[in-house]
């Protein structure tokens, strides 16, 4: 450990107490570097948040797949666990049954992160809006204000970068009370019965539709009254990984049936001989099991229309909603052009950026960028430096994408990205499995992913040791 100097004891300022800001703060104080964490919620709200808690989850309660052998986001989970991520540690502690996914009780999770950081002796939390770029005497800053960066700070960032506004809309799924779902029509089952425990194999509530019900639902969805955008928002694109269901329906009547409503891997015990035409899944949203969210049902319908349309779903005729869906506007930087490999703004290296603001999508991806920003800032404060993780790791592949991997001769097509194996360097296709058996046909893809995951964890270990 480097000797603590007066410079090292100067606080790093972290702006934003979401997933990325909370993770960055934890990584810094874990290295002995004090942090002043600035969070405006508590004095100024946003269009999507409901509390002033740190790391509040606003879109879903799922961190997605936790399979680190064949899934890129599951691999990212495992890498972050090995790097002492507060988000993954508290996520594991607040875990709910969700098949092969990591879903959490959002209130328990946020409260635990808030408690741990607010009670840490090296953390000072200031409840305030930062309305402009930080003053010059803040010599090390991480801006992790996320997709709901305040208008004044957004304007200041855009003025400094000289970039045109890059933004997209993100939508939130509704949440219903479990006891208002009719289980004479709905049933509990994870797709393909996935999961190691009975609770995981029955982690989802499934509502079946026949063809006539599906067609009527699509008609109502397309006709429903939607949220109207302001003139300056009119041409802002959606992120394809979180499209509102109405937008998907407008792209083709079969889009939903081949997306979040796909009727595969499930058997209706109420009518096992008839295959549903479409299925709506609901996932547990809190530890008590009293709340369930509609999986993939982000929506921009107005509140009155949501109740009418969603109650057309068999099993939800009497549904009571704990939270209706909504839509908010996300902003992100042209990071490959603006940021260096240490996530520093090239025009002002004292400023680092992290989270969704730099062009990653997803809770875990945002926290991952906070983890790296925090470690970079800690190393710098302690008089050293930290090389980026290898591009063969999930962390390295993701940061390579946002800091240069998408650079395209200035055409400006950089878009937010979830972690996926397409971002990783290729690997030679394994020909035999661990038992020496030849790998054939459909087994080749999971074998390749498993090999990439093992390579990633080996390379991460070497990076940590170095």
């Amino acid at each position: 450990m480097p000797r603590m100097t007066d410079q090292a004891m100067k606080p790093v300022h972290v702006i934003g107490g979401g997933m990325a800001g909370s993770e960055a703060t934890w990584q810094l104080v874990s290295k002995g570097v004090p942090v002043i964490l600035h969070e405006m919620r508590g004095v100024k709200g946003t269009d999507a948040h409901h509390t002033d808690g740190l790391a509040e989850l606003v879109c879903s309660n799922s961190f997605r797949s936790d399979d680190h052998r064949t899934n890129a986001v599951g691999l990212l989970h495992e890498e972050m666990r090995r790097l002492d991520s507060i988000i993954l540690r508290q996520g594991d502690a607040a875990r709910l049954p969700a098949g092969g996914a990591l879903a959490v009780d959002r209130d328990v999770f946020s409260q635990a992160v808030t408690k741990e950081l607010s009670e840490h002796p090296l953390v000072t939390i200031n409840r305030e809006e930062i309305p402009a770029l930080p003053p010059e005497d803040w010599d090390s800053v991480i801006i992790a204000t996320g997709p709901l960066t305040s208008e004044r700070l957004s304007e200041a960032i855009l003025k400094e970068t000289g970039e045109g506004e890059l933004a997209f809309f993100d939508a939130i799924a509704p949440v219903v009370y479990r006891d208002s779902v009719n289980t004479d029509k709905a049933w509990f089952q994870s797709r393909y019965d996935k999961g190691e425990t009975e609770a995981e194999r029955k982690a989802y509530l499934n509502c079946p539709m026949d063809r006539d019900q599906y067609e009527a639902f699509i008609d109502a969805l397309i006709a429903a009254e939607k949220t109207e955008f302001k003139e300056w928002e009119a041409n802002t694109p959606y992120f394809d990984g979180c499209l509102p269901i109405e937008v998907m329906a407008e792209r083709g009547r079969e889009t939903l049936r081949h997306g979040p409503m796909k009727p595969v891997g499930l058997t209706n015990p109420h009518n096992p001989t008839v295959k549903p035409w479409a299925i709506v899944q609901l996932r547990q949203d809190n530890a008590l099991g009293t709340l369930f969210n509609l999986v993939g049902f982000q929506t921009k319908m107005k509140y009155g229309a949501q109740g009418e349309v969603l109650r057309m779903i068999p099993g939800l005729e009497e549904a009571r909603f704990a939270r209706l869906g909504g839509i908010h506007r996300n902003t992100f930087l042209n990071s490959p052009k603006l940021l260096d490999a240490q996530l520093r703004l090239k025009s002002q290296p004292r400023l680092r950026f992290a989270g969704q603001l730099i062009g990653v999508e997803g809770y875990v991806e945002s926290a991952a960028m906070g983890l790296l920003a925090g470690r970079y800032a800690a190393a710098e404060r302690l008089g050293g430096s930290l090389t980026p993780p290898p591009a063969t790791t999930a962390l390295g592949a993701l940061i390579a994408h946002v800091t240069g991997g998408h650079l395209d001769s200035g055409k400006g097509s950089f878009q937010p990205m979830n972690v996926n194996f397409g971002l990783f360097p290729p690997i030679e296709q394994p020909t035999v499995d661990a038992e020496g058996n030849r790998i054939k046909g459909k087994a080749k893809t999971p074998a390749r992913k498993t090999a990439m995951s093992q390579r990633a964890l080996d390379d991460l270990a070497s990076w940590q040791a170095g």
Side-chain angles (χ1 to χ4, degrees), residues 271-345:
N271 195 357
T273 61
V274 177
K275 182 181 172 89
W277 188 252
I279 292 175
V280 176
Q281 285 198 307
L282 290 82
R283 180 177 54 226
Q284 187 176 337
D285 202 76
N286 67 341
L288 294 174
T290 56
L291 300 177
F292 275 67
N293 61 67
L294 277 68
V295 178
F297 263 56
Q298 299 84 3
T299 180
K300 63 172 184 173
M301 286 186 287
K302 288 193 173 180
Y303 284 173
Q306 284 187 47
E308 294 177 8
V309 174
L310 297 177
R311 289 189 181 100
M312 295 174 67
I313 299 170
L316 300 187
E317 295 90 346
E318 304 297 328
R320 303 192 319 277
F321 294 91
R323 184 189 71 192
L324 289 167
I327 190 165
H328 58 274
R329 182 175 175 278
N330 283 354
T331 302
F332 61 95
L333 298 174
N334 188 359
S335 295
K337 179 179 179 180
L338 300 173
L339 304 182
D340 68 13
Q342 296 276 316
L343 297 176
R344 294 174 297 205
L345 190 63

Side-chain angles (χ1 to χ4, degrees), residues 166 332-344 346 353-361 365-366 368-370 372-373 376 388 394-408 414-419 423:
L166 294 173
F332 61 95
L333 298 174
N334 188 359
S335 295
K337 179 179 179 180
L338 300 173
L339 304 182
D340 68 13
Q342 296 276 316
L343 297 176
R344 294 174 297 205
K346 293 176 183 177
F353 287 81
Q356 282 187 259
L357 194 58
I358 67 172
V360 296
E361 179 62 21
E365 289 89 338
S366 297
M369 295 300 95
L372 289 177
Y376 289 152
L395 283 160
L398 195 59
I399 199 167
H401 168 73
V402 300
T403 61
H406 192 80
L407 201 59
D408 61 347
F414 177 67
Q415 289 292 320
M417 180 69 72
N418 294 115
V419 67
L423 300 179

Side-chain angles (χ1 to χ4, degrees), residues 422-466:
L423 300 179
F424 290 60
I427 193 170
E428 185 175 348
Q429 176 67 49
T431 57
V432 296
D433 61 21
E435 287 73 40
N437 300 314
R438 184 181 175 189
I439 300 171
K440 302 178 182 179
K442 293 182 179 179
K444 290 183 177 179
T445 297
R448 180 178 56 82
K449 291 178 178 178
T450 299
M452 294 178 80
S453 293
Q454 187 58 56
R455 178 184 66 178
L457 296 178
D458 291 344
D459 289 353
L460 182 76
S462 297
W463 179 71
Q464 283 183 272

Side-chain angles (χ1 to χ4, degrees), residues 72-290:
V73 73
L75 174 60
L76 185 59
H77 291 180
E78 182 62 22
E79 291 181 8
M80 292 174 68
R81 288 186 178 105
R82 296 186 183 198
L83 295 176
D84 187 29
S85 162
I86 189 176
I87 294 301
L88 265 295
R89 177 161 43 80
Q90 294 298 354
D92 287 335
R95 188 173 195 141
L96 299 173
L102 173 56
V104 305
D105 183 312
R106 67 181 76 215
D107 292 329
V108 171
F109 170 74
S110 175
Q111 289 164 9
V113 174
T114 302
K115 184 175 188 296
E116 186 165 359
L117 291 182
S118 62
E119 293 180 355
H120 196 287
L122 292 179
V123 177
T124 301
I125 300 177
N126 287 349
R127 297 286 180 172
E128 59 183 349
E129 179 189 1
I130 304 299
L133 290 183
E136 292 292 335
D137 60 344
W138 293 14
D139 63 340
S140 181
V141 181
I142 297 174
I143 299 177
T145 44
L148 299 173
T149 300
S150 68
E151 186 175 350
R152 290 191 292 178
L153 181 55
S154 292
E155 290 174 353
I157 293 170
L158 292 168
K159 183 177 179 180
E160 170 65 24
T161 61
E163 288 294 299
E165 192 165 5
L166 294 173
F168 59 93
F169 284 109
D170 204 359
I172 301 171
V175 174
V176 303
Y177 290 98
R178 157 67 185 86
D179 61 7
S180 70
V181 180
N182 181 0
T183 50
D184 290 335
K185 296 182 179 180
W187 74 96
F188 287 96
Q189 184 187 5
S190 293
R191 207 178 294 279
Y192 299 107
D193 297 309
K194 190 169 184 179
E196 296 182 1
T197 66
E198 185 69 9
E200 289 177 335
R201 288 190 289 271
K202 294 185 175 180
Y204 293 81
L205 263 172
N206 301 281
C207 299
M209 285 185 179
D210 61 28
R211 185 167 190 166
D212 289 342
Q213 290 168 332
Y214 177 80
E215 293 294 338
F217 178 75
I218 295 299
D219 287 338
L221 198 58
I222 292 173
E225 191 174 7
K226 317 295 194 306
T227 300
E228 295 180 2
F229 302 139
K230 298 174 183 177
E231 183 178 351
W232 54 269
E233 298 173 323
N235 295 318
T236 301
Y238 293 102
F239 172 60
D240 281 344
C242 200
L243 286 173
I245 52 175
E246 313 82 38
V247 174
M248 285 190 275
E250 289 166 356
R251 292 185 175 185
R253 297 184 69 85
E254 292 288 288
T255 302
L256 281 168
R257 203 170 75 83
H258 293 282
M261 297 176 69
K262 57 183 178 288
V264 298
L266 299 162
T267 301
N268 182 359
H270 305 304
N271 195 357
T273 61
V274 177
K275 182 181 172 89
W277 188 252
I279 292 175
V280 176
Q281 285 198 307
L282 290 82
R283 180 177 54 226
Q284 187 176 337
D285 202 76
N286 67 341
L288 294 174
T290 56

